[in-house]
Amino acid sequence: RGCRGGRGAWQYLLRRSLLECREESAWPDREHHPSTLKKMIDSAVDPQQFVERCLVLEESAEGLMARASHLARVLKSEEKTFKSLKSADWRGIRSKLGKAFPELADVTKDAKYESFAKGSTSVLAELKQPYELFVDVAYHVGKHLETLKAMLAQMSSLSCDLCREPVRSFLFLFDKYCKLYYLIHLIEERKALCGLFAAAHRAARRSAEPSFRRLAHALKFFDEPTKFLTEQFKDYANPLGAIINECALTVQLATNGAGELLRRSALMMHEDNLALGSAVLTPFNPRQPTGRRLHWELALCSQIRDFVVFATLACPAVFLTAGNALAVCQAACCDGLVVPIFRGTSLNVHAELEALGKWYPPRGGSNNSLQKSWPRDLKLAKLFKDWSKDATQSAGLRHRERRAYLLGELEIVDGLISSCPSLCAPKAPLVMAAVALALDEIAWILRHAPSKEEALPPKHRLKHYNSDHYVEARLPCLAGVACRLSEMLRDEQEAVSTYYLTFLSGADAKAMDPLGPRAADGMPEGHLPTKAYQMARTAGDRLRGESLGDVARAVANAKRLARDGQWTGGDSSAKALQDSPVGRARLDWKRLCAVVCASPHAKAMLKDENVQAFLKRGHAAFLDRTSFADGSYLARHCDFGKLWPFRAQLAKMYEDALASSKPGRWVADSLRVMIVVARDANRANSHPSAMDDAADLATDSRHFGELAIGRKLTEGVRTSLATLATNCNNLADMVAPVQAAFRLERKDQASKDGRANARDEPIAGYESLPANAKLVEPIVVAESRLSALLVAARDDWGGDCKGGEKAPGGGVVIADARLRPDEFAKSAVLGFLQAQIPLCFFADDAGKKLNRPSDIERSVASCLSAVERAKTYVDVDSSGYVASLLLDPKRVTSPEDLAARCANEDEARELLEAHAPIAEAAAKFYVTLIRNLPTGVVYCPSRQGFVKLPTGGGGDGHGAAAANNNNGEAGLEMYLTGSELAAFARVMGADGLRCLDRALMIAAVDEMAKIKRSICAKEGGPLRARLDRIRIGYLNGDWVLPATDLKNEGILDHLAKAATRLGNVLELRRLARQHGVKACEVAAPHLSTAALLALDSAVGADKARAPTW
């Protein structure tokens, strides 16, 4: 249960710390030396425990901040917040507790105390975890501060070149300590929570909560964290100033825009062509070519800059120390408006600095000496205002320049590494530094977004603030190329491990063989632990050991680290270290550096050239190369899970790229970053001591992954396909010869009429001219976007939930779910067809108004041509799917389904009509059209089409209504011409025409039934009787009256109309068959002839008649 142990939390972490693996370590003895004990001024912290303490405290602080961040989110959520804080009945009790804090107020006399006492048990259960969090924080900060002061007091040398690891450990530990204080300060309800818990404890158990008094005393220091920090570190200005001076060059690289990086050629890989040395061996300090390497320090730029900012807030007295501490602090503080605290929480630096300048240096008490020594010309209020103005005006521009430089260099690195993956191992430091710098810049611009209130400068500085400086249009491209490089490093982890382990056992071991004994001779006897001398003398053999050079084991450790994160699978886990010889060797080297740095003879020892050479080479071997071998550097500096707090901005970035005309690669890069952030969020941010936070992270990351893959990817693919289909359809319509001719006629007519808009009509064929490239620009953008998205969907996402291997089933593992981007892309393509094909056929959603067949053919061809572009990347049976849309119902319409969904036969019939296939709906439309043609319309063989006879009749009401409707004479040209019927046959195919044939046969049978009824029966008697009367009358000379009666009854008119409709139906059936045969001949030449020959061969001598087809 992590840190939830109250007072024993820190001891619990210490027990599960690295001390558990001491049996396998080179430091089994923990003896205290008198010379070391003399230096323990502020505490009894043994320098041999510096490493363990730093690791344990850093892990503990991370866990506490994770729990505090989760508590802050719960308090901000209206749904999840605590009921005891929302209850209106207990408002008076909360007010009394808040006014009396840090004392516990007596609330027994409150009117609502009885209600509170009844619910005290539920309040205890509800507030137990928040209360334990503050108890753990109060205990932790004490041990944390104790260790920081001990390290400042005992470290005799603060050189980052010779004592790099102890100094770095102090930097990270100091940074965590300050951030923890500011994060707890942001939880405004901390006093109310603790007071309610203590009052509920007294009401439920009739006794005071034992730790409340100490906790209440500790919580008051979180009210003004800056004042508390300055009070704690006021006596440590000199060591802090020395450390800040050591960080000067790093801060310069971090804050000088792109100038310093460009001058140093920091990310240039073409060293051979420029006669330069190896890029990865470039020294960090040109004056010390054997010291730290440039790229290993570039990855730490942002962390060291943040340390300098917090050191400025915690101890402004460093301005008075020797060196350039003031200039370094100014550069770090002017590099931005906010500094990160934890995840998405930020601190407005200049608001805190301006508040600090109003009262610092403090007056009275023990601060008189500082007040007297403070220079009169150093006015912090004016100084910090100048810093705020400089940061507001220039920070955004400097970082914009830095991002532009990084984007150009990263694209070059990406191209070289992609074309030659074998460079990934030797160039790993450069690639890692490039990705780390890119991640820092991405986080910086997202953290300084103008939409965030905490990222804005103070109100009196808003006149100098330009929001355009904090917006980056090319952010998707920068994030995408950094993401690709990070994935390449992960994919090539085995090659990287092999390369650096070989280097360790070869060149490094050979170099350490003579350096180790000479360095051990230069260390005074009796002032270091025994194992320190042993470690120095056997450093070469340690690097040459078989367990250290086990590539398979190192790769397994890297995969475990990539799966579990640094807090569970890295150096902070004793279990992980037991399985990692590389990690244990690195830990032992850190212990050696700690005891050397804290030795009273450190300055004398470090002047020895042999000791200097030994430490510098050992730092490169035991710290840097081992960290590359087991993936520690990759997990620490190249993890995109750091961008998880900015997931909403990343989703907005994707939407903006999708809605704009930016290159398609930008859209794909935005999608890829979203997926990687969702995949790595739980690993990079979860902590074993914050289980609730880890559970929320897993749920949120899975939902965000489903959003990115399930909705954003689908939306991007369907939008691109729709753009392609629409623009191709419009272009095909515009370049059609008839349309071009119409445009030319309109242009000529406008010129004749002298209208001013005569030039607005383009000439025929203008679309094919190179000058009109903008016409096809949407098609080009949509096609590139579609291809980039589908390529991203086919990426080989790593990280199986069991072994850290590539997912064997494909897809990406996010929390406890496996998502398949390629399957989502396939469903998006099919969904596009399902949505667009019906729109191509029908002008309305009801499916009653059929579009013109030639328009249908062109629209369907445009949709299928768009899908053909997607089929290069996604396996989709577009033809089969379209055929199913044309011929199969949209839903299951089995008898059981109809019985379950319909109450009667009428509802079942309506359901079948609503979900009828497209072919049936089109056939129904044609049947309605041919039967409702105006009177006098018949098929004319000479004109090869339906025409209206010169002599027409009024017809019945039904026919007249149809003539006035859409299915009137206009239907002759739109649907019944030879070209339109041929287009309909090409679109529908043989199965669709068979459906039309069946519908026309049913209509013909219906018309024959009408003819039969007209001949055999009518209200006045059968037609034969009428004809007999006319015949008899003709013989007798009295036939006029019977003939007039027959005409007035309209029997012959109904007969003629029915016969005409029957003829039109049969003629349409014949024409449909004829055009169907032609379409089949074009699609599959000689198929019918071959089938007939095969049939003749099969029947042989029987000479059976050929089938009707």
Side-chain angles (χ1 to χ4, degrees):
R1 287 179 288 181
C3 295
R4 299 177 185 171
R7 183 176 300 179
W10 191 81
Q11 289 91 334
Y12 166 74
L13 286 173
L14 189 61
R15 285 197 303 271
R16 64 182 289 267
S17 71
L18 310 176
L19 299 178
E20 298 177 3
C21 62
R22 63 188 179 194
E23 289 78 13
E24 298 189 22
S25 172
W27 300 78
D29 52 343
R30 299 286 174 180
E31 58 197 22
H32 297 279
H33 297 272
S35 58
T36 304
L37 291 174
K38 291 180 182 179
K39 299 294 296 182
M40 294 184 182
I41 300 175
D42 294 316
S43 67
V45 179
D46 189 348
Q48 298 183 55
Q49 297 179 1
F50 279 174
V51 179
E52 284 86 351
R53 274 186 172 246
C54 289
L55 288 173
V56 171
L57 287 173
E58 185 178 359
E59 180 195 8
S60 175
E62 188 76 17
L64 291 173
M65 286 193 288
R67 293 166 61 189
S69 176
H70 179 262
L71 175 60
R73 290 198 306 273
V74 170
L75 293 173
K76 292 180 181 179
S77 173
E78 296 182 359
E79 299 178 357
K80 297 182 179 180
T81 191
F82 304 107
K83 296 180 180 179
S84 55
L85 293 179
K86 296 191 300 182
S87 177
D89 295 339
W90 300 345
R91 185 179 303 168
I93 295 178
R94 291 195 299 268
S95 177
K96 291 180 180 179
L97 291 173
K99 292 179 181 178
F101 200 87
E103 299 296 330
L104 184 60
D106 184 9
V107 296
T108 56
K109 298 180 181 180
D110 191 270
K112 300 295 182 180
Y113 177 74
E114 184 177 354
S115 171
F116 179 76
K118 291 181 179 179
S120 58
T121 304
S122 62
V123 172
L124 284 177
E126 183 182 48
L127 302 182
K128 180 181 179 181
Q129 292 186 10
Y131 187 81
E132 289 181 350
L133 166 64
F134 294 119
V135 171
D136 292 343
V137 168
Y139 189 82
H140 170 90
V141 293
K143 295 297 181 181
H144 204 141
L145 181 62
E146 178 184 352
T147 304
L148 287 175
K149 290 183 176 181
M151 294 181 72
L152 286 174
Q154 297 181 46
M155 287 193 299
S156 301
S157 175
L158 299 174
S159 171
C160 287
D161 284 309
L162 301 178
C163 300
R164 179 173 56 164
E165 186 54 38
V167 174
R168 278 186 182 175
S169 299
F170 173 80
L171 295 182
F172 300 150
L173 205 61
F174 184 90
D175 184 67
K176 294 287 185 185
Y177 181 75
C178 296
K179 289 181 177 179
L180 179 59
Y181 258 91
Y182 282 106
L183 183 62
I184 299 299
H185 166 71
L186 296 177
I187 304 178
E188 299 177 355
E189 298 86 351
R190 58 185 180 279
K191 294 181 180 179
L193 290 171
C194 296
L196 279 173
F197 184 86
H201 189 280
R202 175 176 292 179
R205 302 179 182 177
R206 303 294 189 271
S207 63
E209 210 285 326
S211 58
F212 173 74
R213 185 174 296 277
R214 181 170 54 86
L215 174 61
H217 176 73
L219 284 181
K220 68 180 182 180
F221 298 119
F222 293 96
D223 295 341
E224 295 179 318
T226 304
K227 283 189 176 182
F228 176 77
L229 293 174
T230 54
E231 180 66 23
Q232 295 301 318
F233 293 102
K234 64 181 180 181
D235 298 330
Y236 296 91
N238 288 328
L240 283 175
I243 295 176
I244 290 175
N245 285 321
E246 287 289 327
C247 299
L249 189 55
T250 306
V251 173
Q252 182 182 5
L253 284 170
T255 60
N256 195 20
E260 191 67 19
L261 295 175
L262 187 60
R263 186 181 67 82
R264 299 284 300 272
S265 300
L267 302 179
M268 185 176 293
M269 295 186 66
H270 301 288
E271 64 271 7
D272 295 335
N273 295 336
L274 299 178
L276 298 175
S278 177
V280 297
L281 297 179
T282 304
F284 174 69
N285 189 349
R287 297 181 181 179
Q288 298 181 7
T290 60
R292 292 170 287 169
R293 299 304 173 193
L294 174 63
H295 299 99
W296 296 335
E297 296 299 318
L298 284 177
L300 299 172
C301 281
S302 62
Q303 300 179 47
I304 293 177
R305 178 195 60 206
D306 294 346
F307 159 76
V308 175
V309 172
F310 284 112
T312 305
L313 290 171
C315 187
V318 296
F319 298 163
L320 308 182
T321 59
N324 300 319
L326 178 60
V328 176
C329 293
Q330 178 180 358
C333 293
C334 293
D335 192 54
L337 304 179
V338 296
V339 64
I341 297 179
F342 185 74
R343 295 182 186 169
T345 308
S346 302
L347 176 69
N348 196 310
V349 178
H350 299 285
E352 291 292 329
L353 286 175
E354 292 189 18
L356 174 64
K358 295 178 180 179
W359 59 267
Y360 197 91
R363 301 175 182 270
S366 60
N367 300 310
N368 290 331
S369 59
L370 178 62
Q371 183 72 27
K372 293 179 181 179
S373 62
W374 195 265
R376 293 182 179 272
D377 58 345
L378 185 57
K379 304 296 184 182
L380 290 187
K382 183 179 183 303
L383 179 68
F384 290 155
K385 288 182 180 179
D386 294 340
W387 289 8
S388 175
K389 181 178 179 181
D390 180 33
T392 305
Q393 292 178 334
S394 306
L397 295 175
R398 286 195 296 266
H399 280 271
R400 176 183 291 180
E401 174 191 354
R402 191 180 183 92
R403 289 191 299 273
Y405 165 77
L406 285 175
L407 180 58
E409 294 296 335
L410 260 69
E411 287 183 341
I412 296 174
V413 174
D414 180 34
L416 292 175
I417 297 296
S418 300
S419 60
C420 187
S422 59
L423 286 175
C424 203
K427 303 296 184 183
L430 188 148
V431 179
M432 182 267 298
V435 175
L437 290 174
L439 270 175
D440 292 339
E441 286 302 315
I442 295 168
W444 191 95
I445 191 64
L446 294 177
R447 190 175 291 110
H448 284 77
S451 58
K452 293 190 173 184
E453 295 183 1
E454 64 271 14
L456 297 177
K459 292 183 179 180
H460 59 278
R461 292 289 174 217
L462 287 176
K463 59 183 179 181
H464 304 293
Y465 179 76
N466 189 348
S467 60
D468 294 338
H469 295 171
Y470 302 93
V471 177
E472 180 58 68
R474 295 178 295 176
L475 190 62
C477 192
L478 178 61
V481 67
C483 183
R484 287 195 298 274
L485 288 173
S486 176
E487 293 300 306
M488 288 181 195
L489 284 177
R490 294 186 186 280
D491 295 340
E492 299 293 331
Q493 181 60 55
E494 184 173 358
V496 173
S497 299
T498 304
Y499 181 87
Y500 285 99
L501 289 178
T502 304
F503 204 101
L504 284 170
S505 60
D508 283 332
K510 186 176 181 180
M512 295 293 282
D513 283 338
L515 289 176
R518 290 201 293 264
D521 294 339
M523 298 177 182
E525 289 288 342
H527 294 283
L528 296 179
T530 305
K531 293 301 179 180
Y533 300 101
Q534 182 180 350
M535 177 70 181
R537 296 182 186 279
T538 62
D541 296 334
R542 188 73 182 274
L543 293 175
R544 206 179 285 109
E546 294 182 1
S547 59
L548 189 65
D550 190 349
V551 176
R553 208 172 198 181
V555 172
N557 293 333
K559 291 179 179 179
R560 181 186 63 245
L561 181 60
R563 182 192 69 225
D564 300 335
Q566 59 176 333
W567 307 117
T568 306
D571 290 352
S572 299
S573 171
K575 185 178 183 303
L577 277 178
Q578 289 175 355
D579 300 331
S580 175
V582 174
R584 292 200 301 273
R586 184 167 55 244
L587 179 64
D588 288 340
W589 179 261
K590 291 179 181 180
R591 289 167 174 158
L592 172 63
C593 294
V595 296
V596 170
C597 178
S599 172
H601 302 279
K603 294 183 178 179
M605 282 191 295
L606 296 179
K607 290 180 180 179
D608 191 334
E609 294 182 356
N610 294 324
V611 176
Q612 292 181 8
F614 171 73
L615 290 176
K616 290 178 180 179
R617 186 74 185 209
H619 290 332
F622 283 98
L623 297 180
D624 297 326
R625 283 189 262 277
T626 57
S627 297
F628 275 110
D630 67 352
S632 298
Y633 269 170
L634 181 62
R636 192 178 187 92
H637 302 298
C638 302
D639 201 330
F640 269 74
K642 299 175 184 178
L643 302 180
W644 170 250
F646 313 106
R647 56 191 179 279
Q649 295 169 264
L650 295 177
K652 181 66 167 53
M653 178 180 70
Y654 173 83
E655 294 174 357
D656 293 343
L658 190 63
S660 65
S661 59
K662 300 298 182 183
R665 185 166 62 92
W666 291 24
V667 181
D669 288 340
S670 302
L671 175 67
R672 184 180 288 107
V673 171
M674 290 172 63
I675 296 175
V676 173
V677 168
R679 183 195 66 188
D680 298 344
N682 196 32
R683 178 192 66 200
N685 297 283
S686 63
H687 195 276
S689 66
M691 302 305 296
D692 295 338
D693 180 67
D696 290 348
L697 271 173
T699 303
D700 295 342
S701 61
R702 183 177 66 252
H703 291 167
F704 185 69
E706 292 172 351
L707 170 70
I709 301 175
R711 197 171 78 183
K712 299 298 183 181
L713 173 61
T714 303
E715 179 184 353
V717 172
R718 295 184 66 170
T719 302
S720 302
L721 289 173
T723 303
L724 281 173
T726 302
N727 285 276
C728 288
N729 189 25
N730 294 338
L731 188 60
D733 180 57
M734 295 175 68
V735 301
V738 63
Q739 299 294 338
F742 288 161
R743 286 197 301 272
L744 184 59
E745 290 180 3
R746 291 194 296 270
K747 178 178 173 60
D748 294 341
Q749 187 63 36
S751 300
K752 292 178 182 179
D753 297 342
R755 295 198 303 268
N757 60 348
R759 296 183 179 181
D760 294 342
E761 290 289 344
I763 62 173
Y766 84 107
E767 298 87 357
S768 59
L769 298 179
N772 300 298
K774 287 187 177 180
L775 188 67
V776 296
E777 183 178 353
I779 299 177
V780 175
V781 173
E783 187 170 359
S784 65
R785 180 184 301 164
L786 176 65
S787 60
L789 283 173
L790 295 179
V791 167
R794 293 179 58 192
D795 279 353
D796 190 11
W797 307 97
D800 191 5
C801 55
K802 293 184 179 180
E805 302 283 352
K806 293 291 185 181
V812 54
V813 176
I814 301 178
D816 56 350
R818 184 189 299 279
L819 304 177
R820 296 284 302 272
D822 54 341
E823 292 296 330
F824 280 99
K826 181 178 179 180
S827 64
V829 175
L830 296 180
F832 164 77
L833 288 176
Q834 185 176 4
Q836 292 296 322
I837 293 299
L839 297 179
C840 296
F841 279 85
F842 300 103
D844 55 350
D845 296 335
K848 296 181 179 180
K849 174 63 176 176
L850 188 71
N851 293 327
R852 194 168 186 162
S854 57
D855 294 341
I856 294 174
E857 183 182 19
R858 186 170 56 249
S859 301
V860 172
S862 300
C863 291
L864 292 179
S865 65
V867 173
E868 286 297 324
R869 292 171 169 84
K871 288 174 66 175
T872 308
Y873 309 96
V874 181
D875 185 15
V876 176
D877 182 14
S878 57
S879 301
Y881 193 75
V882 171
S884 66
L885 289 176
L886 295 179
L887 302 171
D888 294 340
K890 298 178 183 177
R891 298 184 182 178
V892 179
T893 54
S894 61
E896 295 79 5
D897 183 62
L898 291 177
R901 298 165 58 184
C902 303
N904 49 49
E905 295 182 359
D906 295 336
E907 291 185 6
R909 188 180 303 106
E910 293 178 359
L911 181 65
L912 284 173
E913 292 179 357
H915 300 285
I918 295 176
E920 292 185 6
K924 182 179 179 181
F925 175 83
Y926 261 99
V927 169
T928 305
L929 174 67
I930 199 66
R931 296 178 69 175
N932 294 332
L933 287 176
T935 304
V937 175
V938 296
Y939 180 76
C940 181
S942 61
R943 297 188 181 182
Q944 296 183 356
F946 290 88
V947 297
K948 182 174 177 60
L949 297 178
T951 58
D956 57 0
H958 182 68
N964 294 327
N965 204 347
N966 292 331
N967 296 337
E969 296 182 8
L972 298 178
E973 181 181 353
M974 291 184 61
Y975 302 103
L976 298 178
T977 61
S979 59
E980 298 298 335
L981 288 175
F984 185 80
R986 288 192 296 269
V987 172
M988 301 304 295
D991 292 330
L993 290 177
R994 189 178 298 112
C995 184
L996 175 61
D997 186 271
R998 183 168 56 252
L1000 290 174
M1001 286 301 299
I1002 295 174
V1005 171
D1006 188 28
E1007 295 298 333
M1008 291 175 65
K1010 291 181 180 179
I1011 293 174
K1012 182 179 179 181
R1013 287 194 298 270
S1014 298
I1015 295 175
C1016 297
K1018 194 61 180 174
E1019 296 178 358
L1023 181 59
R1024 179 177 293 274
R1026 301 290 195 282
L1027 295 178
D1028 288 343
R1029 288 178 57 190
I1030 294 175
R1031 180 176 58 81
I1032 296 172
Y1034 178 77
L1035 295 176
N1036 298 332
D1038 187 15
W1039 59 273
V1040 176
L1041 184 59
T1044 303
D1045 294 340
L1046 179 63
K1047 182 178 180 180
N1048 293 334
E1049 290 177 358
I1051 297 176
L1052 293 179
D1053 292 338
H1054 285 289
L1055 179 62
K1057 290 178 182 179
T1060 303
R1061 286 196 296 268
L1062 175 60
N1064 289 340
V1065 168
L1066 295 176
E1067 196 61 39
L1068 178 59
R1069 178 171 177 260
R1070 183 188 67 82
L1071 291 174
R1073 287 193 170 196
Q1074 179 182 349
H1075 289 294
V1077 170
K1078 292 181 179 180
C1080 292
E1081 285 292 340
V1082 174
H1086 313 295
L1087 180 62
S1088 59
T1089 304
L1092 288 174
L1093 290 175
L1095 183 64
D1096 292 340
S1097 302
V1099 297
D1102 295 339
K1103 295 182 180 179
R1105 295 175 59 187
T1108 55
W1109 51 264

